[in-house]
Amino acid sequence: WQDPWQRERPRLLETRLPKPYTQCPILPEFDDQASIWLYGFRAPLSDTGLALVREAFSDFIPTWVAHEKPVTGVFSVLERRFLLLCGTVEGGFSGCSVDSTTRILKELRTRHRLDALDRGLVFFRKDGQILAESRSQFAARITEGKAD
């Protein structure tokens, strides 16, 4: 075990979770008071996209602060589709500390067309692939009996 405060850079994990998908390997490092954010990318990340996301959050995590206190945080990219952020900080998170993660995602969207900020998407698995559709598209899929 390594004290999270002593890390210079966040630990990168495998981009795929072991089956069954019941536990994320980064979460045991945190207690029940940790905050978790999950962002879904509209499309699977290419090798370049994955590298860009990893670089952006590897640079960000060591500088992440809330109320001028350092955040103990880690991230992982799961299934080349989801960015999982987990963090804890004395006194809790502030709006500005959460906004700072959103700024990075906005920059990735603007500069590299890597969109993980569309809250209207529904993610689901079909034939072994993770797909993303709008809520109305997914509702139609259900109505038509094409979702299981």
Side-chain angles (χ1 to χ4, degrees):
W1 183 81
Q2 181 184 11
D3 180 24
W5 291 100
Q6 300 302 317
R7 281 192 233 145
E8 290 181 21
R9 293 183 67 84
R11 188 167 48 97
L12 295 179
L13 302 170
E14 293 297 319
T15 58
R16 296 187 64 84
L17 284 175
K19 292 183 181 180
Y21 301 97
T22 56
Q23 183 179 15
C24 179
I26 68 172
L27 297 182
E29 296 182 23
F30 294 90
D31 63 23
D32 291 341
Q33 302 304 309
S35 295
I36 298 170
W37 295 268
L38 182 66
Y39 297 96
F41 288 91
R42 177 178 291 279
L45 294 170
S46 65
D47 290 344
T48 301
L50 182 61
L52 289 166
V53 170
R54 284 181 169 167
E55 180 181 1
F57 282 92
S58 290
D59 291 346
F60 168 72
I61 295 286
T63 66
W64 197 6
V65 294
H67 303 292
E68 298 181 13
K69 295 181 180 164
V71 172
T72 300
V74 294
F75 76 95
S76 184
V77 178
L78 309 173
E79 302 269 348
R80 291 184 171 259
R81 202 61 185 255
F82 302 100
L83 171 67
L84 177 71
L85 290 173
C86 185
T88 186
V89 64
E90 182 183 330
F93 283 91
S94 64
C96 291
S97 62
V98 175
D99 290 347
S100 61
T101 63
T102 305
R103 274 193 299 276
I104 293 169
L105 290 168
K106 285 180 179 178
E107 186 174 321
L108 287 167
R109 181 180 61 194
T110 301
R111 286 186 168 185
H112 306 289
R113 303 180 87 173
L114 302 173
D115 187 7
L117 293 172
D118 187 343
R119 295 180 189 190
L121 293 177
V122 175
F123 293 87
F124 61 99
R125 192 177 294 273
K126 180 166 178 65
D127 300 326
Q129 290 189 315
I130 296 173
L131 303 176
E133 292 182 342
S134 70
R135 291 178 188 179
S136 61
Q137 288 171 316
F138 189 71
R141 180 182 292 273
I142 292 171
T143 302
E144 295 167 5
K146 294 181 180 176
D148 21 290

Short mmCIF file of all heavy atoms in Angstrom, two decimals, residues 27-93:
data_model
loop_
_atom_site.label_atom_id
_atom_site.label_comp_id
_atom_site.label_asym_id
_atom_site.label_seq_id
_atom_site.Cartn_x
_atom_site.Cartn_y
_atom_site.Cartn_z
N LEU A 27 -11.11 1.86 -6.35
CA LEU A 27 -11.96 2.30 -5.25
C LEU A 27 -11.56 1.79 -3.88
O LEU A 27 -11.79 2.49 -2.90
CB LEU A 27 -13.41 1.97 -5.56
CG LEU A 27 -13.97 2.70 -6.79
CD1 LEU A 27 -15.43 2.35 -6.98
CD2 LEU A 27 -13.77 4.19 -6.71
N PRO A 28 -10.96 0.61 -3.73
CA PRO A 28 -10.59 0.18 -2.38
C PRO A 28 -9.62 1.12 -1.66
O PRO A 28 -9.51 1.10 -0.45
CB PRO A 28 -9.94 -1.18 -2.60
CG PRO A 28 -10.54 -1.68 -3.86
CD PRO A 28 -10.75 -0.45 -4.70
N GLU A 29 -8.94 1.99 -2.41
CA GLU A 29 -8.03 2.95 -1.78
C GLU A 29 -8.77 4.04 -1.02
O GLU A 29 -8.16 4.79 -0.27
CB GLU A 29 -7.16 3.62 -2.85
CG GLU A 29 -6.25 2.68 -3.58
CD GLU A 29 -5.39 3.43 -4.59
OE1 GLU A 29 -5.17 4.64 -4.42
OE2 GLU A 29 -4.93 2.78 -5.52
N PHE A 30 -10.07 4.16 -1.20
CA PHE A 30 -10.82 5.26 -0.64
C PHE A 30 -11.90 4.77 0.30
O PHE A 30 -12.45 3.70 0.12
CB PHE A 30 -11.45 6.08 -1.78
CG PHE A 30 -10.42 6.76 -2.63
CD1 PHE A 30 -9.89 6.13 -3.73
CD2 PHE A 30 -9.97 8.03 -2.29
CE1 PHE A 30 -8.92 6.75 -4.50
CE2 PHE A 30 -9.01 8.65 -3.05
CZ PHE A 30 -8.48 8.01 -4.15
N ASP A 31 -12.21 5.61 1.29
CA ASP A 31 -13.27 5.25 2.22
C ASP A 31 -14.63 5.65 1.65
O ASP A 31 -14.73 6.18 0.55
CB ASP A 31 -13.02 5.87 3.60
CG ASP A 31 -13.04 7.39 3.58
OD1 ASP A 31 -13.64 7.99 2.66
OD2 ASP A 31 -12.45 8.00 4.48
N ASP A 32 -15.67 5.43 2.44
CA ASP A 32 -17.03 5.70 1.98
C ASP A 32 -17.33 7.19 1.80
O ASP A 32 -18.36 7.55 1.26
CB ASP A 32 -18.05 5.10 2.94
CG ASP A 32 -18.06 3.59 2.89
OD1 ASP A 32 -17.56 3.02 1.91
OD2 ASP A 32 -18.56 2.98 3.84
N GLN A 33 -16.44 8.04 2.26
CA GLN A 33 -16.65 9.48 2.14
C GLN A 33 -16.08 10.05 0.84
O GLN A 33 -16.24 11.23 0.55
CB GLN A 33 -16.03 10.21 3.33
CG GLN A 33 -16.57 9.76 4.67
CD GLN A 33 -18.08 9.89 4.74
OE1 GLN A 33 -18.63 10.94 4.44
NE2 GLN A 33 -18.76 8.82 5.13
N ALA A 34 -15.42 9.23 0.06
CA ALA A 34 -14.84 9.69 -1.20
C ALA A 34 -15.93 10.04 -2.19
O ALA A 34 -17.03 9.49 -2.16
CB ALA A 34 -13.93 8.61 -1.78
N SER A 35 -15.62 10.97 -3.07
CA SER A 35 -16.54 11.35 -4.14
C SER A 35 -16.11 10.65 -5.42
O SER A 35 -14.91 10.46 -5.67
CB SER A 35 -16.51 12.86 -4.35
OG SER A 35 -17.00 13.51 -3.20
N ILE A 36 -17.09 10.30 -6.22
CA ILE A 36 -16.83 9.58 -7.47
C ILE A 36 -17.58 10.28 -8.59
O ILE A 36 -18.74 10.66 -8.45
CB ILE A 36 -17.32 8.12 -7.38
CG1 ILE A 36 -16.56 7.39 -6.28
CG2 ILE A 36 -17.15 7.41 -8.72
CD1 ILE A 36 -17.14 6.03 -5.97
N TRP A 37 -16.89 10.47 -9.71
CA TRP A 37 -17.49 11.02 -10.91
C TRP A 37 -17.24 10.04 -12.03
O TRP A 37 -16.15 9.49 -12.17
CB TRP A 37 -16.87 12.37 -11.29
CG TRP A 37 -17.12 13.45 -10.30
CD1 TRP A 37 -18.15 14.35 -10.30
CD2 TRP A 37 -16.32 13.76 -9.15
NE1 TRP A 37 -18.04 15.19 -9.22
CE2 TRP A 37 -16.92 14.84 -8.50
CE3 TRP A 37 -15.15 13.22 -8.60
CZ2 TRP A 37 -16.40 15.41 -7.34
CZ3 TRP A 37 -14.64 13.77 -7.45
CH2 TRP A 37 -15.26 14.85 -6.84
N LEU A 38 -18.26 9.84 -12.84
CA LEU A 38 -18.13 8.94 -13.99
C LEU A 38 -18.61 9.72 -15.22
O LEU A 38 -19.74 10.19 -15.27
CB LEU A 38 -18.97 7.68 -13.81
CG LEU A 38 -18.88 6.65 -14.92
CD1 LEU A 38 -17.47 6.04 -14.97
CD2 LEU A 38 -19.91 5.55 -14.70
N TYR A 39 -17.72 9.86 -16.19
CA TYR A 39 -18.02 10.56 -17.43
C TYR A 39 -17.96 9.56 -18.57
O TYR A 39 -16.99 8.81 -18.69
CB TYR A 39 -17.01 11.67 -17.70
CG TYR A 39 -17.00 12.75 -16.65
CD1 TYR A 39 -16.10 12.73 -15.59
CD2 TYR A 39 -17.91 13.82 -16.71
CE1 TYR A 39 -16.08 13.73 -14.63
CE2 TYR A 39 -17.90 14.82 -15.75
CZ TYR A 39 -16.98 14.77 -14.72
OH TYR A 39 -16.97 15.75 -13.77
N GLY A 40 -18.98 9.56 -19.42
CA GLY A 40 -19.02 8.65 -20.56
C GLY A 40 -18.70 9.38 -21.85
O GLY A 40 -19.29 10.42 -22.14
N PHE A 41 -17.77 8.83 -22.62
CA PHE A 41 -17.43 9.41 -23.92
C PHE A 41 -18.44 8.93 -24.96
O PHE A 41 -18.79 7.75 -24.99
CB PHE A 41 -16.01 9.01 -24.34
CG PHE A 41 -14.96 9.72 -23.54
CD1 PHE A 41 -14.46 9.15 -22.37
CD2 PHE A 41 -14.50 10.96 -23.93
CE1 PHE A 41 -13.51 9.81 -21.62
CE2 PHE A 41 -13.55 11.64 -23.18
CZ PHE A 41 -13.05 11.06 -22.02
N ARG A 42 -18.84 9.83 -25.81
CA ARG A 42 -19.82 9.54 -26.85
C ARG A 42 -19.36 8.37 -27.71
O ARG A 42 -20.15 7.51 -28.07
CB ARG A 42 -20.04 10.77 -27.70
CG ARG A 42 -20.98 10.56 -28.86
CD ARG A 42 -21.20 11.84 -29.65
NE ARG A 42 -21.95 12.82 -28.90
CZ ARG A 42 -23.29 12.81 -28.77
NH1 ARG A 42 -23.98 11.87 -29.34
NH2 ARG A 42 -23.90 13.76 -28.10
N ALA A 43 -18.09 8.33 -28.03
CA ALA A 43 -17.53 7.25 -28.86
C ALA A 43 -16.35 6.63 -28.12
O ALA A 43 -15.73 7.28 -27.28
CB ALA A 43 -17.07 7.81 -30.20
N PRO A 44 -16.02 5.38 -28.42
CA PRO A 44 -14.85 4.77 -27.79
C PRO A 44 -13.59 5.57 -28.11
O PRO A 44 -13.44 6.12 -29.21
CB PRO A 44 -14.77 3.38 -28.42
CG PRO A 44 -16.10 3.13 -29.03
CD PRO A 44 -16.68 4.47 -29.35
N LEU A 45 -12.69 5.63 -27.16
CA LEU A 45 -11.45 6.37 -27.35
C LEU A 45 -10.48 5.58 -28.23
O LEU A 45 -10.25 4.39 -28.00
CB LEU A 45 -10.79 6.65 -26.00
CG LEU A 45 -11.56 7.59 -25.07
CD1 LEU A 45 -10.94 7.59 -23.69
CD2 LEU A 45 -11.61 8.99 -25.64
N SER A 46 -9.92 6.26 -29.20
CA SER A 46 -8.85 5.67 -30.00
C SER A 46 -7.58 5.63 -29.14
O SER A 46 -7.56 6.17 -28.02
CB SER A 46 -8.59 6.55 -31.23
OG SER A 46 -8.09 7.82 -30.81
N ASP A 47 -6.52 5.04 -29.64
CA ASP A 47 -5.26 5.04 -28.90
C ASP A 47 -4.80 6.47 -28.62
O ASP A 47 -4.35 6.78 -27.52
CB ASP A 47 -4.17 4.29 -29.67
CG ASP A 47 -4.41 2.79 -29.72
OD1 ASP A 47 -5.23 2.28 -28.92
OD2 ASP A 47 -3.77 2.12 -30.55
N THR A 48 -4.94 7.33 -29.61
CA THR A 48 -4.55 8.74 -29.44
C THR A 48 -5.44 9.42 -28.41
O THR A 48 -4.96 10.13 -27.53
CB THR A 48 -4.62 9.49 -30.78
OG1 THR A 48 -3.74 8.84 -31.72
CG2 THR A 48 -4.22 10.94 -30.63
N GLY A 49 -6.75 9.20 -28.52
CA GLY A 49 -7.68 9.79 -27.56
C GLY A 49 -7.42 9.32 -26.15
O GLY A 49 -7.45 10.10 -25.20
N LEU A 50 -7.16 8.03 -26.00
CA LEU A 50 -6.86 7.47 -24.69
C LEU A 50 -5.61 8.12 -24.11
O LEU A 50 -5.57 8.51 -22.94
CB LEU A 50 -6.68 5.96 -24.81
CG LEU A 50 -6.41 5.18 -23.53
CD1 LEU A 50 -7.54 5.34 -22.53
CD2 LEU A 50 -6.18 3.71 -23.86
N ALA A 51 -4.59 8.28 -24.94
CA ALA A 51 -3.34 8.91 -24.49
C ALA A 51 -3.59 10.37 -24.08
O ALA A 51 -3.04 10.83 -23.07
CB ALA A 51 -2.28 8.83 -25.58
N LEU A 52 -4.42 11.08 -24.83
CA LEU A 52 -4.71 12.48 -24.50
C LEU A 52 -5.45 12.60 -23.17
O LEU A 52 -5.14 13.47 -22.35
CB LEU A 52 -5.54 13.12 -25.62
CG LEU A 52 -4.80 13.39 -26.93
CD1 LEU A 52 -5.79 13.69 -28.05
CD2 LEU A 52 -3.82 14.53 -26.75
N VAL A 53 -6.43 11.73 -22.94
CA VAL A 53 -7.17 11.75 -21.68
C VAL A 53 -6.24 11.41 -20.52
O VAL A 53 -6.23 12.08 -19.48
CB VAL A 53 -8.38 10.80 -21.73
CG1 VAL A 53 -9.01 10.63 -20.37
CG2 VAL A 53 -9.40 11.28 -22.75
N ARG A 54 -5.44 10.38 -20.69
CA ARG A 54 -4.51 9.98 -19.63
C ARG A 54 -3.52 11.10 -19.32
O ARG A 54 -3.23 11.38 -18.16
CB ARG A 54 -3.76 8.71 -20.02
CG ARG A 54 -4.58 7.47 -19.89
CD ARG A 54 -3.78 6.27 -20.28
NE ARG A 54 -4.46 5.04 -19.92
CZ ARG A 54 -4.10 3.85 -20.35
NH1 ARG A 54 -3.08 3.72 -21.17
NH2 ARG A 54 -4.77 2.79 -19.97
N GLU A 55 -2.99 11.72 -20.36
CA GLU A 55 -2.03 12.81 -20.15
C GLU A 55 -2.68 13.97 -19.41
O GLU A 55 -2.12 14.51 -18.45
CB GLU A 55 -1.47 13.27 -21.48
CG GLU A 55 -0.47 14.40 -21.33
CD GLU A 55 0.08 14.89 -22.66
OE1 GLU A 55 -0.33 14.37 -23.73
OE2 GLU A 55 0.92 15.80 -22.63
N ALA A 56 -3.87 14.37 -19.85
CA ALA A 56 -4.56 15.50 -19.23
C ALA A 56 -4.82 15.26 -17.75
O ALA A 56 -4.57 16.13 -16.91
CB ALA A 56 -5.87 15.79 -19.97
N PHE A 57 -5.31 14.07 -17.40
CA PHE A 57 -5.64 13.81 -16.00
C PHE A 57 -4.42 13.41 -15.18
O PHE A 57 -4.40 13.66 -13.97
CB PHE A 57 -6.81 12.83 -15.90
CG PHE A 57 -8.11 13.52 -16.17
CD1 PHE A 57 -8.64 13.57 -17.45
CD2 PHE A 57 -8.77 14.20 -15.16
CE1 PHE A 57 -9.80 14.27 -17.72
CE2 PHE A 57 -9.94 14.90 -15.42
CZ PHE A 57 -10.46 14.94 -16.71
N SER A 58 -3.40 12.87 -15.79
CA SER A 58 -2.15 12.61 -15.08
C SER A 58 -1.51 13.93 -14.65
O SER A 58 -0.93 14.03 -13.57
CB SER A 58 -1.16 11.83 -15.95
OG SER A 58 -1.60 10.51 -16.14
N ASP A 59 -1.61 14.93 -15.52
CA ASP A 59 -1.08 16.25 -15.18
C ASP A 59 -1.96 16.96 -14.16
O ASP A 59 -1.46 17.69 -13.30
CB ASP A 59 -0.97 17.12 -16.44
CG ASP A 59 0.10 16.65 -17.40
OD1 ASP A 59 0.96 15.82 -17.01
OD2 ASP A 59 0.08 17.09 -18.57
N PHE A 60 -3.27 16.75 -14.24
CA PHE A 60 -4.20 17.47 -13.38
C PHE A 60 -4.24 16.95 -11.95
O PHE A 60 -4.23 17.74 -10.99
CB PHE A 60 -5.62 17.40 -13.99
CG PHE A 60 -6.68 17.84 -13.04
CD1 PHE A 60 -6.83 19.18 -12.72
CD2 PHE A 60 -7.53 16.92 -12.45
CE1 PHE A 60 -7.81 19.60 -11.83
CE2 PHE A 60 -8.51 17.32 -11.56
CZ PHE A 60 -8.65 18.67 -11.26
N ILE A 61 -4.32 15.65 -11.77
CA ILE A 61 -4.56 15.06 -10.45
C ILE A 61 -3.58 15.58 -9.38
O ILE A 61 -4.02 15.95 -8.28
CB ILE A 61 -4.56 13.51 -10.50
CG1 ILE A 61 -5.73 13.00 -11.35
CG2 ILE A 61 -4.56 12.88 -9.11
CD1 ILE A 61 -7.10 13.09 -10.73
N PRO A 62 -2.28 15.66 -9.65
CA PRO A 62 -1.37 16.15 -8.60
C PRO A 62 -1.58 17.62 -8.22
O PRO A 62 -1.12 18.06 -7.18
CB PRO A 62 0.03 15.96 -9.21
CG PRO A 62 -0.15 14.97 -10.30
CD PRO A 62 -1.54 15.17 -10.82
N THR A 63 -2.29 18.37 -9.06
CA THR A 63 -2.52 19.80 -8.79
C THR A 63 -3.94 20.08 -8.30
O THR A 63 -4.28 21.23 -8.03
CB THR A 63 -2.26 20.63 -10.06
OG1 THR A 63 -3.25 20.30 -11.05
CG2 THR A 63 -0.87 20.38 -10.62
N TRP A 64 -4.78 19.05 -8.19
CA TRP A 64 -6.19 19.20 -7.84
C TRP A 64 -6.31 19.69 -6.40
O TRP A 64 -5.76 19.08 -5.48
CB TRP A 64 -6.85 17.85 -8.01
CG TRP A 64 -8.35 17.84 -8.09
CD1 TRP A 64 -9.20 18.90 -8.13
CD2 TRP A 64 -9.16 16.67 -8.14
NE1 TRP A 64 -10.50 18.46 -8.21
CE2 TRP A 64 -10.50 17.09 -8.23
CE3 TRP A 64 -8.89 15.31 -8.14
CZ2 TRP A 64 -11.56 16.20 -8.29
CZ3 TRP A 64 -9.93 14.42 -8.20
CH2 TRP A 64 -11.27 14.86 -8.28
N VAL A 65 -7.04 20.77 -6.19
CA VAL A 65 -7.24 21.32 -4.86
C VAL A 65 -8.71 21.68 -4.66
O VAL A 65 -9.44 21.93 -5.61
CB VAL A 65 -6.37 22.58 -4.60
CG1 VAL A 65 -4.90 22.23 -4.59
CG2 VAL A 65 -6.66 23.68 -5.59
N ALA A 66 -9.10 21.72 -3.39
CA ALA A 66 -10.43 22.18 -2.98
C ALA A 66 -10.24 22.99 -1.71
O ALA A 66 -9.62 22.50 -0.76
CB ALA A 66 -11.36 21.00 -2.73
N HIS A 67 -10.71 24.20 -1.72
CA HIS A 67 -10.54 25.09 -0.56
C HIS A 67 -9.06 25.19 -0.19
O HIS A 67 -8.70 25.17 0.99
CB HIS A 67 -11.35 24.61 0.64
CG HIS A 67 -12.80 24.46 0.37
ND1 HIS A 67 -13.63 25.53 0.13
CD2 HIS A 67 -13.59 23.35 0.29
CE1 HIS A 67 -14.87 25.10 -0.08
NE2 HIS A 67 -14.87 23.78 0.01
N GLU A 68 -8.20 25.26 -1.20
CA GLU A 68 -6.75 25.37 -1.05
C GLU A 68 -6.11 24.17 -0.35
O GLU A 68 -4.97 24.24 0.10
CB GLU A 68 -6.39 26.67 -0.32
CG GLU A 68 -6.83 27.90 -1.08
CD GLU A 68 -6.47 29.19 -0.40
OE1 GLU A 68 -5.65 29.17 0.55
OE2 GLU A 68 -7.00 30.23 -0.82
N LYS A 69 -6.83 23.06 -0.29
CA LYS A 69 -6.29 21.83 0.28
C LYS A 69 -6.14 20.81 -0.84
O LYS A 69 -7.00 20.71 -1.72
CB LYS A 69 -7.21 21.28 1.37
CG LYS A 69 -7.28 22.20 2.56
CD LYS A 69 -8.17 21.65 3.62
CE LYS A 69 -8.16 22.65 4.78
NZ LYS A 69 -9.23 22.42 5.69
N PRO A 70 -5.04 20.03 -0.82
CA PRO A 70 -4.83 19.06 -1.90
C PRO A 70 -5.86 17.93 -1.86
O PRO A 70 -6.23 17.43 -0.80
CB PRO A 70 -3.42 18.53 -1.64
CG PRO A 70 -3.16 18.80 -0.20
CD PRO A 70 -3.97 20.00 0.16
N VAL A 71 -6.30 17.56 -3.03
CA VAL A 71 -7.22 16.44 -3.18
C VAL A 71 -6.40 15.17 -3.38
O VAL A 71 -5.44 15.17 -4.15
CB VAL A 71 -8.15 16.65 -4.41
CG1 VAL A 71 -8.97 15.41 -4.69
CG2 VAL A 71 -9.03 17.87 -4.19
N THR A 72 -6.75 14.13 -2.67
CA THR A 72 -6.19 12.82 -2.94
C THR A 72 -7.09 12.20 -4.00
O THR A 72 -8.26 11.93 -3.74
CB THR A 72 -6.19 11.93 -1.68
OG1 THR A 72 -5.41 12.57 -0.68
CG2 THR A 72 -5.61 10.56 -1.99
N GLY A 73 -6.56 12.03 -5.20
CA GLY A 73 -7.41 11.57 -6.29
C GLY A 73 -6.71 10.60 -7.21
O GLY A 73 -5.48 10.57 -7.28
N VAL A 74 -7.49 9.82 -7.88
CA VAL A 74 -7.02 8.91 -8.92
C VAL A 74 -8.04 8.91 -10.04
O VAL A 74 -9.17 9.38 -9.87
CB VAL A 74 -6.81 7.46 -8.41
CG1 VAL A 74 -5.69 7.38 -7.40
CG2 VAL A 74 -8.09 6.88 -7.86
N PHE A 75 -7.62 8.39 -11.17
CA PHE A 75 -8.55 8.24 -12.28
C PHE A 75 -8.25 6.94 -13.00
O PHE A 75 -7.18 6.35 -12.85
CB PHE A 75 -8.44 9.42 -13.26
CG PHE A 75 -7.23 9.35 -14.15
CD1 PHE A 75 -7.31 8.78 -15.41
CD2 PHE A 75 -6.01 9.84 -13.72
CE1 PHE A 75 -6.19 8.71 -16.23
CE2 PHE A 75 -4.89 9.77 -14.52
CZ PHE A 75 -4.98 9.20 -15.79
N SER A 76 -9.22 6.51 -13.76
CA SER A 76 -9.05 5.34 -14.61
C SER A 76 -9.95 5.51 -15.82
O SER A 76 -11.01 6.12 -15.72
CB SER A 76 -9.42 4.06 -13.84
OG SER A 76 -9.17 2.93 -14.64
N VAL A 77 -9.50 4.99 -16.95
CA VAL A 77 -10.34 4.95 -18.14
C VAL A 77 -10.79 3.50 -18.28
O VAL A 77 -9.98 2.59 -18.37
CB VAL A 77 -9.59 5.42 -19.40
CG1 VAL A 77 -10.48 5.31 -20.62
CG2 VAL A 77 -9.09 6.85 -19.21
N LEU A 78 -12.10 3.31 -18.26
CA LEU A 78 -12.67 1.97 -18.30
C LEU A 78 -13.28 1.70 -19.66
O LEU A 78 -14.03 2.54 -20.18
CB LEU A 78 -13.75 1.84 -17.21
CG LEU A 78 -13.33 2.26 -15.81
CD1 LEU A 78 -14.53 2.25 -14.87
CD2 LEU A 78 -12.22 1.38 -15.29
N GLU A 79 -12.96 0.56 -20.20
CA GLU A 79 -13.55 0.11 -21.47
C GLU A 79 -13.33 1.10 -22.61
O GLU A 79 -14.10 1.10 -23.58
CB GLU A 79 -15.05 -0.14 -21.30
CG GLU A 79 -15.41 -1.15 -20.25
CD GLU A 79 -15.52 -2.55 -20.82
OE1 GLU A 79 -15.54 -2.71 -22.04
OE2 GLU A 79 -15.58 -3.48 -20.01
N ARG A 80 -12.33 1.97 -22.51
CA ARG A 80 -12.08 3.01 -23.51
C ARG A 80 -13.29 3.92 -23.70
O ARG A 80 -13.41 4.65 -24.68
CB ARG A 80 -11.68 2.42 -24.87
CG ARG A 80 -10.33 1.78 -24.87
CD ARG A 80 -9.96 1.31 -26.28
NE ARG A 80 -8.59 0.88 -26.31
CZ ARG A 80 -7.59 1.60 -26.79
NH1 ARG A 80 -7.81 2.79 -27.28
NH2 ARG A 80 -6.37 1.14 -26.77
N ARG A 81 -14.19 3.91 -22.72
CA ARG A 81 -15.45 4.63 -22.89
C ARG A 81 -15.78 5.53 -21.71
O ARG A 81 -16.53 6.49 -21.86
CB ARG A 81 -16.57 3.59 -23.06
CG ARG A 81 -17.81 4.06 -23.73
CD ARG A 81 -17.52 4.53 -25.14
NE ARG A 81 -18.64 5.10 -25.80
CZ ARG A 81 -19.34 4.50 -26.76
NH1 ARG A 81 -19.04 3.29 -27.15
NH2 ARG A 81 -20.32 5.13 -27.32
N PHE A 82 -15.26 5.21 -20.53
CA PHE A 82 -15.66 5.94 -19.32
C PHE A 82 -14.44 6.44 -18.57
O PHE A 82 -13.47 5.71 -18.38
CB PHE A 82 -16.47 5.04 -18.39
CG PHE A 82 -17.69 4.48 -19.04
CD1 PHE A 82 -17.70 3.19 -19.53
CD2 PHE A 82 -18.84 5.25 -19.18
CE1 PHE A 82 -18.82 2.66 -20.15
CE2 PHE A 82 -19.97 4.74 -19.80
CZ PHE A 82 -19.96 3.44 -20.29
N LEU A 83 -14.52 7.68 -18.12
CA LEU A 83 -13.51 8.25 -17.25
C LEU A 83 -14.06 8.21 -15.84
O LEU A 83 -15.12 8.79 -15.56
CB LEU A 83 -13.18 9.69 -17.64
CG LEU A 83 -12.30 10.46 -16.66
CD1 LEU A 83 -10.89 9.86 -16.63
CD2 LEU A 83 -12.25 11.93 -17.01
N LEU A 84 -13.38 7.51 -14.96
CA LEU A 84 -13.76 7.42 -13.56
C LEU A 84 -12.78 8.25 -12.75
O LEU A 84 -11.57 8.03 -12.83
CB LEU A 84 -13.72 5.96 -13.09
CG LEU A 84 -14.02 5.73 -11.62
CD1 LEU A 84 -15.50 5.99 -11.34
CD2 LEU A 84 -13.64 4.33 -11.22
N LEU A 85 -13.30 9.24 -12.03
CA LEU A 85 -12.50 10.04 -11.11
C LEU A 85 -12.95 9.73 -9.70
O LEU A 85 -14.15 9.62 -9.44
CB LEU A 85 -12.71 11.54 -11.35
CG LEU A 85 -12.18 12.15 -12.61
CD1 LEU A 85 -12.66 13.59 -12.73
CD2 LEU A 85 -10.67 12.11 -12.60
N CYS A 86 -12.00 9.60 -8.82
CA CYS A 86 -12.33 9.35 -7.42
C CYS A 86 -11.42 10.23 -6.58
O CYS A 86 -10.21 10.33 -6.86
CB CYS A 86 -12.11 7.88 -7.09
SG CYS A 86 -12.61 7.45 -5.42
N GLY A 87 -11.98 10.89 -5.59
CA GLY A 87 -11.16 11.77 -4.78
C GLY A 87 -11.74 12.00 -3.40
O GLY A 87 -12.92 11.80 -3.16
N THR A 88 -10.86 12.44 -2.54
CA THR A 88 -11.26 12.81 -1.20
C THR A 88 -10.41 14.01 -0.77
O THR A 88 -9.27 14.15 -1.19
CB THR A 88 -11.12 11.63 -0.21
OG1 THR A 88 -11.66 12.01 1.05
CG2 THR A 88 -9.69 11.19 -0.05
N VAL A 89 -11.00 14.87 0.03
CA VAL A 89 -10.30 16.04 0.51
C VAL A 89 -10.90 16.45 1.86
O VAL A 89 -12.11 16.33 2.07
CB VAL A 89 -10.38 17.21 -0.51
CG1 VAL A 89 -11.80 17.69 -0.70
CG2 VAL A 89 -9.46 18.34 -0.11
N GLU A 90 -10.05 16.89 2.74
CA GLU A 90 -10.50 17.35 4.04
C GLU A 90 -11.44 18.54 3.84
O GLU A 90 -11.13 19.48 3.12
CB GLU A 90 -9.30 17.79 4.88
CG GLU A 90 -9.65 18.25 6.27
CD GLU A 90 -8.42 18.72 7.03
OE1 GLU A 90 -7.32 18.22 6.77
OE2 GLU A 90 -8.60 19.61 7.89
N GLY A 91 -12.62 18.46 4.41
CA GLY A 91 -13.60 19.54 4.29
C GLY A 91 -14.54 19.39 3.12
O GLY A 91 -15.46 20.18 2.96
N GLY A 92 -14.32 18.41 2.27
CA GLY A 92 -15.20 18.18 1.14
C GLY A 92 -14.85 18.99 -0.08
O GLY A 92 -13.99 19.87 -0.05
N PHE A 93 -15.52 18.70 -1.16
CA PHE A 93 -15.25 19.35 -2.44
C PHE A 93 -16.02 20.64 -2.56
O PHE A 93 -17.10 20.79 -2.02
CB PHE A 93 -15.62 18.41 -3.60
CG PHE A 93 -14.61 17.34 -3.82
CD1 PHE A 93 -14.73 16.12 -3.19
CD2 PHE A 93 -13.51 17.57 -4.62
CE1 PHE A 93 -13.79 15.13 -3.37
CE2 PHE A 93 -12.56 16.59 -4.81
CZ PHE A 93 -12.69 15.37 -4.18
#
